[in-house]
């Protein structure tokens, strides 16, 4: 038996067991699946192995971080700080001391998931571009644990708080340049249409020029042979139509991001053990 053309026995003898092995050709193929999107932003919490991060960077993708530790790993793998372009985006629902220091030090674009986070950031970094993660009031997931929208979710700015959050941003001269909406895993196309509609309505309420919208993550993979995956062409089409309508309305281009995590890496990993 082989992994990427290398004998399991040879791997076990060279590295010992147990050992993790990743087939980076599989990661590359999954990146290629998503080339229709303007930006592929890897949610590194799926797997922050430095070799995988470096490989994804070499494929032209960028990265999402949810902690100061993930920011450090992204930098170690070769991603650059700064906002032009934003190779590392910090996404969370709050700041701890280390993460806020890291964001300041490396001048990172932040994707805010709460009003408190906007207030914390505005006090130390006024005048900066920011993005907002919105909870539109509904969610979808293949289990409760993967449902990241709706009233039972801790993630994102509740849609009814949007105007309050925009007021906080204005008070600190923060410029909302992007919107993010990830509300669950295992997306079906009927549900996706609802998400796209919610994104469009939120963008109209923000009512200022956007640089980007993010479709979030949650792309499914087939864990069993009888399972099917999402129609990526139609998935992109629905989001691209939303992006194009918003861009036409504001009279300037908008980048369409997608934020895959397990979709890029889940099928590439192997754990070699012996008994």
């Amino acid at each position: 038996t082989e992994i990427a053309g290398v004998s399991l026995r040879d791997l076990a003898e060279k590295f010992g067991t147990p050992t993790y092995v990743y087939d980076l050709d599989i990661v590359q193929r999954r990146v290629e699946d998503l080339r229709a999107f303007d930006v592929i932003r890897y949610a590194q919490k799926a797997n922050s192995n430095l070799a995988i991060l470096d490989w994804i960077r070499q494929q032209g993708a960028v990265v999402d971080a949810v902690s100061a530790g993930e920011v450090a790993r992204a930098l170690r793998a070769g991603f650059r700080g700064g906002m032009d372009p934003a190779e590392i985006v910090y996404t969370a629902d709050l700041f701890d001391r280390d993460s806020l220091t890291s964001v300041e030090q490396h001048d990172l674009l932040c994707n805010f998931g709460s009003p408190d986070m906007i207030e914390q950031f505005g006090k130390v970094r006024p005048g900066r571009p920011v993005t907002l993660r919105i909870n539109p009031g509904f969610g979808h997931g293949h289990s409760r644990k993967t449902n990241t929208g709706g009233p039972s979710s801790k993630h994102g700015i509740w849609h009814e708080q949007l105007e309050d959050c925009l007021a906080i941003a204005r008070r600190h001269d923060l410029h909302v340049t992007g919107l993010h909406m990830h509300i669950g895993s295992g997306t079906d196309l009927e549900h996706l249409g609802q998400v796209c509609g919610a994104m469009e309505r939120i963008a109209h309420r923000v009512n200022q020029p956007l640089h980007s919208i993010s479709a979030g993550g949650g792309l499914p993979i087939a864990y069993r042979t009888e399972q099917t995956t999402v129609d990526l062409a139609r998935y992109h089409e629905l989001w691209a139509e939303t992006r194009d309508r918003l861009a036409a309305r504001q009279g300037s281009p908008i980048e369409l991001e997608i934020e895959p995590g397990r979709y890029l890496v889940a099928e590439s990993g192997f754990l070699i053990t012996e008994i």
Side-chain angles (χ1 to χ4, degrees), residues 52-112:
I52 288 178
L53 288 173
D54 178 56
W55 183 252
I56 286 173
R57 181 186 59 80
Q58 291 180 50
Q59 307 315 306
V62 289
V63 75
D64 170 78
V66 301
S67 67
E70 286 194 358
V71 171
R73 294 184 78 86
L75 292 166
R76 179 79 177 271
F79 292 99
R80 295 173 297 178
M83 296 194 186
D84 190 23
E87 293 188 10
I88 305 171
V89 165
Y90 180 82
T91 298
D93 297 306
L94 53 84
F95 284 114
D96 58 25
R97 187 177 298 123
D98 288 344
S99 60
L100 187 54
T101 298
S102 180
V103 163
E104 283 189 86
Q105 180 180 353
H106 301 292
D107 191 27
L108 302 184
L109 181 64
C110 288
N111 184 32
F112 298 143

Side-chain angles (χ1 to χ4, degrees), residues 194-264:
Q194 298 171 10
V195 179
C196 291
M199 174 68 83
E200 204 162 343
R201 291 190 296 273
I202 292 293
H204 290 169
R205 288 166 61 188
V206 170
N207 196 32
Q208 52 190 280
L210 298 176
H211 178 263
S212 67
I213 60 172
S214 173
L219 287 175
I221 62 167
Y223 288 96
R224 298 179 179 86
T225 54
E226 68 273 13
Q227 290 179 313
T228 58
T229 57
V230 69
D231 179 346
L232 285 175
R234 182 60 180 150
Y235 186 99
H236 172 264
E237 184 180 20
L238 285 168
W239 273 113
E241 289 169 353
T242 301
R243 183 265 320 272
D244 292 345
R245 284 192 297 270
L246 291 173
R249 185 175 186 267
Q250 71 179 28
S252 59
I254 296 175
E255 287 188 333
L256 175 58
E257 290 199 7
I258 192 166
E259 195 178 89
R262 64 181 174 147
Y263 184 78
L264 296 189

